[in-house]
Amino acid sequence: MAPVHGSYGPHPHQVYDMWPAQAPDAPLVMLLHGGYWRYDRMHLTPFAAHLARQGISTILPGFRRSGGAGGYPATFDDIALAIDTLTEGRPFVLAGHCSGGHLALWAAARGLLPPDSPWHSTTLPAAVVGFGPITDLAGAIRDDLSDGAALQLLGGAGTADARLPLVDPLTLVTPKGTTGVPTVILHGAADEELPHDQFHTYAAAHHDAELISLPDIGHYTFIEPGSEASRVLVDLLRRLHAQHARPRTP
Ligand SMILES: N[C@@H](CC(=O)c1ccccc1NC=O)C(=O)O
């Protein structure tokens, strides 16, 4: 199954792959890849193709990344632009793995940003899933996950504190207790990559979040096409789309 390739901006990383499912009324999912904001999207293409074979139209965007042209603010500019451009006003479920889960949960919180933020939006995903997500950047800094990855994203220790309130899902959701977007935090109980307070603390802070913990599942099996964990994720994406994706009223 060959994806359509395209771009949503002039930078070489502002590109996407899209696998249209056969049915015209197929659920639409935008998938944000992980790799601590440093990796490219290639490790997730087999799983994106798998989603399409399961009847889900899937958009996998690239974006400017840490260590290259990205990090704050470019990575966030690209996620916001990719979402706003590529979903074309259609209802969609946003999903992300690990650091892509952070980006997905951040994008679902755009309604909580100050109205003068360039990222503020009230056009939000129908639902969001973080699977094995990073939800708490201050915690990621404190625990020094992946050799300073969160500090690298935020431009270093000198700027991190000022930027955190604009890009950290846990900080954004805490005062109000909801983003207004139905949210699922899905994780393996045997996740070996992240401290599990990344999952629990956010789910507890968000009144509209559901926490699903899968026994014996690790961090990476979600993105192995056909694995038990991937089946749970596919079923969840279908359920969220069926429950929450309504055509937008003008
Ligand atoms: N352990 C590696 C790789 C990694 O964490 C990773 C790689 C691909 C997809 C998701 C990952 N985890 C979080 O973003 C790292 O620290 O960069």
Coordinates of all heavy atoms in Angstrom, one line a residue, residues 72-135:
Y72 N 12.2 24.2 20.2 CA 11.4 25.4 20.4 C 11.9 26.6 19.5 O 13.1 26.8 19.6 CB 11.4 25.7 21.8 CG 10.4 26.8 22.2 CD1 9.2 26.6 22.8 CD2 10.7 28.2 22.0 CE1 8.3 27.6 23.2 CE2 9.8 29.2 22.3 CZ 8.7 28.9 22.9 OH 7.8 29.9 23.2
P73 N 11.0 27.3 18.8 CA 9.6 27.1 18.6 C 9.3 26.3 17.4 O 8.1 26.0 17.1 CB 9.1 28.5 18.5 CG 10.2 29.3 17.8 CD 11.5 28.6 18.3
A74 N 10.3 26.0 16.5 CA 10.0 25.5 15.2 C 9.2 24.2 15.2 O 8.3 23.9 14.4 CB 11.3 25.3 14.4
T75 N 9.6 23.3 16.1 CA 8.9 22.0 16.2 C 7.4 22.2 16.5 O 6.5 21.5 15.8 CB 9.5 21.1 17.3 OG1 10.9 20.9 17.0 CG2 8.8 19.8 17.5
F76 N 7.1 23.2 17.3 CA 5.7 23.4 17.7 C 4.9 24.2 16.5 O 3.8 23.9 16.2 CB 5.6 24.2 19.0 CG 6.2 23.4 20.1 CD1 7.5 23.6 20.4 CD2 5.4 22.5 20.8 CE1 8.1 22.8 21.4 CE2 6.0 21.7 21.8 CZ 7.3 21.9 22.1
D77 N 5.7 25.1 15.8 CA 5.1 25.7 14.6 C 4.7 24.7 13.6 O 3.6 24.7 13.0 CB 6.2 26.6 14.0 CG 6.5 27.9 14.7 OD1 5.7 28.3 15.6 OD2 7.6 28.5 14.4
D78 N 5.5 23.7 13.5 CA 5.3 22.6 12.4 C 4.1 21.7 12.8 O 3.3 21.4 12.0 CB 6.5 21.8 12.2 CG 7.6 22.6 11.4 OD1 7.3 23.8 11.1 OD2 8.6 22.0 11.0
I79 N 4.0 21.3 14.1 CA 2.9 20.5 14.5 C 1.6 21.2 14.3 O 0.6 20.7 13.8 CB 3.1 20.0 16.0 CG1 4.4 19.2 16.1 CG2 1.9 19.3 16.5 CD1 4.4 17.9 15.3
A80 N 1.6 22.5 14.8 CA 0.3 23.3 14.6 C 0.0 23.4 13.1 O -1.2 23.2 12.7 CB 0.5 24.6 15.3
L81 N 1.0 23.7 12.3 CA 0.7 24.0 10.9 C 0.3 22.6 10.2 O -0.6 22.6 9.4 CB 2.0 24.5 10.2 CG 1.8 24.9 8.7 CD1 0.8 26.0 8.5 CD2 3.2 25.3 8.2
A82 N 0.9 21.5 10.5 CA 0.6 20.3 9.9 C -0.9 19.9 10.3 O -1.6 19.5 9.4 CB 1.5 19.2 10.4
I83 N -1.2 20.1 11.5 CA -2.6 19.7 11.9 C -3.6 20.6 11.2 O -4.6 20.2 10.6 CB -2.7 19.8 13.4 CG1 -1.9 18.7 14.1 CG2 -4.2 19.8 13.9 CD1 -1.8 18.8 15.6
D84 N -3.3 21.9 11.2 CA -4.3 22.9 10.7 C -4.4 22.7 9.2 O -5.5 22.9 8.6 CB -3.9 24.3 11.1 CG -4.0 24.5 12.6 OD1 -4.6 23.7 13.3 OD2 -3.4 25.5 13.0
T85 N -3.3 22.4 8.5 CA -3.3 22.3 7.1 C -3.8 21.0 6.6 O -4.7 20.9 5.7 CB -1.9 22.5 6.5 OG1 -1.3 23.7 7.1 CG2 -1.8 22.6 5.0
L86 N -3.4 19.9 7.2 CA -3.6 18.6 6.6 C -4.9 17.9 6.9 O -5.4 17.1 6.2 CB -2.4 17.6 6.9 CG -1.0 18.1 6.5 CD1 0.1 17.2 7.0 CD2 -1.0 18.2 5.0
T87 N -5.5 18.3 8.0 CA -6.8 17.7 8.3 C -8.0 18.4 7.6 O -9.1 17.9 7.6 CB -7.0 17.7 9.9 OG1 -7.0 19.0 10.3 CG2 -5.9 16.9 10.6
E88 N -7.7 19.5 7.0 CA -8.7 20.2 6.1 C -10.1 20.4 6.7 O -11.1 20.2 6.1 CB -8.8 19.4 4.8 CG -7.5 19.4 4.0 CD -7.6 18.5 2.8 OE1 -8.3 17.4 2.9 OE2 -7.0 18.9 1.8
G89 N -10.1 20.6 8.0 CA -11.4 20.8 8.7 C -12.2 19.5 8.9 O -13.3 19.6 9.4
R90 N -11.6 18.4 8.6 CA -12.3 17.1 8.8 C -12.1 16.7 10.3 O -11.0 17.0 10.8 CB -11.8 16.0 7.9 CG -12.1 16.1 6.5 CD -11.4 15.1 5.6 NE -10.0 15.4 5.5 CZ -9.1 14.6 5.0 NH1 -9.4 13.4 4.6 NH2 -7.8 14.9 5.0
P91 N -13.1 16.0 10.9 CA -12.8 15.6 12.3 C -11.8 14.4 12.3 O -11.8 13.6 11.4 CB -14.2 15.0 12.7 CG -15.0 14.8 11.5 CD -14.4 15.7 10.4
F92 N -10.9 14.5 13.2 CA -9.8 13.5 13.2 C -9.4 13.2 14.7 O -9.7 14.0 15.6 CB -8.6 14.0 12.5 CG -7.9 15.2 13.2 CD1 -6.8 15.1 13.9 CD2 -8.5 16.5 13.1 CE1 -6.2 16.2 14.6 CE2 -7.9 17.6 13.7 CZ -6.8 17.4 14.5
V93 N -8.8 12.0 14.8 CA -8.2 11.7 16.1 C -6.7 11.9 16.0 O -6.1 11.5 15.0 CB -8.6 10.2 16.5 CG1 -7.9 9.8 17.8 CG2 -10.1 10.0 16.6
L94 N -6.1 12.5 17.0 CA -4.7 12.7 17.0 C -4.1 11.7 18.0 O -4.6 11.4 19.0 CB -4.5 14.2 17.6 CG -3.1 14.7 17.6 CD1 -2.5 14.8 16.1 CD2 -3.0 16.1 18.2
A95 N -3.0 11.1 17.5 CA -2.3 10.1 18.3 C -0.8 10.3 18.2 O -0.3 10.7 17.2 CB -2.7 8.7 17.8
G96 N -0.1 10.0 19.3 CA 1.3 10.1 19.3 C 2.0 9.2 20.3 O 1.5 8.8 21.3
H97 N 3.2 8.8 19.9 CA 4.0 7.8 20.6 C 5.2 8.5 21.3 O 5.9 9.2 20.7 CB 4.6 6.7 19.7 CG 5.4 5.7 20.3 ND1 6.6 5.2 19.8 CD2 5.2 5.0 21.5 CE1 7.1 4.3 20.6 NE2 6.3 4.1 21.6
C98 N 5.3 8.3 22.6 CA 6.4 8.8 23.4 C 6.5 10.4 23.3 O 5.6 11.1 23.7 CB 7.7 8.1 23.0 SG 9.0 8.4 24.2
S99 N 7.6 10.9 22.7 CA 7.7 12.4 22.5 C 6.6 12.8 21.5 O 6.2 14.0 21.6 CB 9.1 12.8 22.0 OG 9.4 12.0 20.9
G100 N 6.2 12.0 20.6 CA 5.0 12.3 19.7 C 3.7 12.4 20.5 O 2.8 13.1 20.2
G101 N 3.7 11.6 21.6 CA 2.5 11.7 22.5 C 2.5 13.1 23.2 O 1.5 13.7 23.4
H102 N 3.7 13.5 23.6 CA 3.8 14.9 24.1 C 3.3 15.9 23.2 O 2.5 16.8 23.5 CB 5.3 15.2 24.5 CG 5.6 16.7 24.5 ND1 6.2 17.3 23.4 CD2 5.2 17.7 25.4 CE1 6.2 18.6 23.7 NE2 5.7 18.9 24.9
L103 N 3.7 15.8 21.9 CA 3.3 16.8 20.9 C 1.8 16.7 20.7 O 1.1 17.7 20.5 CB 4.0 16.6 19.6 CG 5.5 16.8 19.7 CD1 6.3 16.4 18.4 CD2 5.8 18.3 19.9
A104 N 1.2 15.5 20.7 CA -0.2 15.3 20.5 C -1.0 15.9 21.6 O -2.0 16.6 21.4 CB -0.6 13.8 20.3
L105 N -0.6 15.6 22.9 CA -1.3 16.2 24.1 C -1.1 17.7 24.1 O -2.0 18.4 24.5 CB -0.7 15.5 25.3 CG -1.0 14.0 25.4 CD1 -0.2 13.4 26.6 CD2 -2.5 13.7 25.6
W106 N 0.0 18.2 23.7 CA 0.2 19.6 23.6 C -0.8 20.2 22.6 O -1.4 21.3 22.9 CB 1.7 20.0 23.2 CG 1.8 21.5 22.9 CD1 1.9 22.5 23.8 CD2 1.8 22.0 21.6 NE1 1.9 23.7 23.1 CE2 1.9 23.4 21.7 CE3 1.8 21.5 20.3 CZ2 1.9 24.3 20.7 CZ3 1.8 22.4 19.2 CH2 1.9 23.8 19.4
A107 N -0.9 19.6 21.4 CA -1.7 20.2 20.4 C -3.2 20.1 20.8 O -4.0 21.0 20.5 CB -1.6 19.4 19.1
A108 N -3.6 19.1 21.6 CA -4.9 19.1 22.1 C -5.2 20.2 23.2 O -6.3 20.4 23.5 CB -5.2 17.7 22.7
A109 N -4.1 20.8 23.7 CA -4.2 21.8 24.7 C -4.1 23.2 24.2 O -4.0 24.2 24.9 CB -3.1 21.6 25.8
R110 N -4.1 23.3 22.8 CA -3.9 24.7 22.2 C -5.0 25.7 22.6 O -4.8 26.9 22.6 CB -3.8 24.5 20.7 CG -2.5 23.9 20.3 CD -2.5 23.6 18.8 NE -2.6 24.7 17.9 CZ -2.9 24.7 16.6 NH1 -3.2 23.5 16.1 NH2 -3.0 25.8 15.9
G111 N -6.2 25.2 23.0 CA -7.3 26.1 23.5 C -6.9 26.7 24.8 O -7.6 27.7 25.2
L112 N -6.0 26.1 25.5 CA -5.6 26.7 26.8 C -4.5 27.7 26.8 O -4.1 28.3 27.8 CB -5.2 25.5 27.8 CG -6.3 24.5 28.1 CD1 -5.7 23.3 28.9 CD2 -7.4 25.1 28.9
L113 N -3.9 27.8 25.6 CA -2.8 28.8 25.4 C -3.3 30.2 25.5 O -4.5 30.5 25.2 CB -2.1 28.6 24.1 CG -1.2 27.3 24.0 CD1 -0.8 27.0 22.5 CD2 0.0 27.4 24.9
P114 N -2.5 31.2 25.8 CA -2.9 32.6 25.8 C -3.4 32.9 24.4 O -2.9 32.5 23.4 CB -1.6 33.4 26.1 CG -0.7 32.4 26.7 CD -1.1 31.0 26.2
P115 N -4.5 33.7 24.4 CA -5.1 34.0 23.1 C -4.2 34.7 22.1 O -4.3 34.5 20.9 CB -6.3 34.9 23.4 CG -6.5 34.7 24.9 CD -5.3 34.2 25.5
D116 N -3.1 35.3 22.6 CA -2.2 36.0 21.7 C -1.0 35.0 21.2 O -0.2 35.4 20.5 CB -1.6 37.2 22.3 CG -0.8 37.0 23.6 OD1 -0.8 35.8 24.1 OD2 -0.1 37.9 24.0
S117 N -1.1 33.8 21.7 CA -0.1 32.8 21.2 C -0.3 32.5 19.8 O -1.5 32.2 19.4 CB -0.1 31.6 22.1 OG 0.6 30.5 21.4
P118 N 0.7 32.4 18.9 CA 0.5 32.0 17.5 C -0.1 30.6 17.4 O -0.6 30.2 16.4 CB 1.9 32.1 16.9 CG 2.8 32.1 18.1 CD 2.1 32.7 19.2
W119 N 0.0 29.8 18.5 CA -0.4 28.4 18.5 C -1.8 28.2 19.0 O -2.4 27.1 19.0 CB 0.5 27.5 19.3 CG 1.9 27.5 18.8 CD1 2.4 27.5 17.5 CD2 3.1 27.6 19.6 NE1 3.7 27.6 17.4 CE2 4.2 27.6 18.7 CE3 3.4 27.6 21.0 CZ2 5.6 27.6 19.1 CZ3 4.7 27.6 21.4 CH2 5.8 27.7 20.5
H120 N -2.4 29.3 19.6 CA -3.7 29.2 20.2 C -4.7 28.8 19.1 O -4.7 29.3 18.0 CB -4.2 30.5 20.8 CG -5.6 30.5 21.3 ND1 -5.9 30.1 22.6 CD2 -6.7 30.8 20.7 CE1 -7.2 30.2 22.7 NE2 -7.7 30.5 21.6
S121 N -5.6 27.8 19.4 CA -6.6 27.4 18.5 C -7.8 26.9 19.2 O -7.6 26.2 20.3 CB -6.1 26.4 17.5 OG -7.1 25.9 16.7
T122 N -9.0 27.1 18.7 CA -10.1 26.4 19.3 C -10.6 25.3 18.3 O -11.7 24.7 18.6 CB -11.2 27.4 19.6 OG1 -11.5 28.2 18.4 CG2 -10.8 28.3 20.7
T123 N -9.9 25.1 17.2 CA -10.3 24.0 16.3 C -9.4 22.8 16.7 O -8.2 22.8 16.4 CB -10.0 24.4 14.9 OG1 -10.7 25.6 14.6 CG2 -10.5 23.3 13.9
L124 N -9.9 21.9 17.5 CA -9.1 20.9 18.2 C -9.4 19.5 17.7 O -10.5 19.3 17.0 CB -9.4 21.0 19.7 CG -9.1 22.3 20.3 CD1 -9.6 22.4 21.8 CD2 -7.6 22.6 20.2
P125 N -8.5 18.5 17.9 CA -8.9 17.2 17.5 C -10.1 16.7 18.2 O -10.5 17.1 19.3 CB -7.7 16.3 18.0 CG -6.8 17.2 18.8 CD -7.2 18.7 18.6
A126 N -10.8 15.7 17.6 CA -12.0 15.1 18.2 C -11.7 14.3 19.4 O -12.5 14.3 20.4 CB -12.7 14.2 17.1
A127 N -10.5 13.8 19.4 CA -10.0 13.0 20.6 C -8.5 12.9 20.4 O -8.0 13.1 19.3 CB -10.6 11.6 20.7
V128 N -7.8 12.6 21.5 CA -6.4 12.4 21.4 C -5.9 11.2 22.2 O -6.5 10.9 23.3 CB -5.6 13.7 21.9 CG1 -5.9 14.0 23.4 CG2 -4.1 13.7 21.7
V129 N -4.9 10.5 21.7 CA -4.4 9.3 22.4 C -2.9 9.6 22.5 O -2.2 9.7 21.5 CB -4.6 8.0 21.6 CG1 -4.0 6.9 22.4 CG2 -6.0 7.8 21.3
G130 N -2.3 9.5 23.7 CA -0.9 9.4 23.9 C -0.6 7.9 24.2 O -1.2 7.4 25.2
F131 N 0.2 7.3 23.4 CA 0.5 5.9 23.8 C 2.0 5.8 24.2 O 2.9 6.2 23.4 CB 0.1 4.9 22.7 CG 0.6 5.1 21.3 CD1 1.6 4.4 20.7 CD2 -0.1 6.1 20.5 CE1 2.0 4.6 19.4 CE2 0.3 6.3 19.2 CZ 1.3 5.6 18.7
G132 N 2.2 5.4 25.4 CA 3.6 5.6 26.0 C 4.1 7.0 25.9 O 5.2 7.3 25.5
P133 N 3.2 8.0 26.3 CA 3.5 9.4 26.0 C 4.4 10.0 27.1 O 4.3 9.7 28.3 CB 2.1 10.0 26.1 CG 1.4 9.3 27.1 CD 1.8 7.8 26.9
I134 N 5.2 11.0 26.7 CA 5.8 12.0 27.6 C 4.7 13.0 27.8 O 4.2 13.6 26.9 CB 7.1 12.5 27.0 CG1 8.1 11.5 26.9 CG2 7.6 13.7 27.9 CD1 9.4 11.9 26.2
T135 N 4.3 13.3 29.1 CA 3.3 14.2 29.4 C 3.8 15.4 30.2 O 3.0 16.4 30.4 CB 2.1 13.6 30.2 OG1 2.7 13.2 31.5 CG2 1.6 12.3 29.5

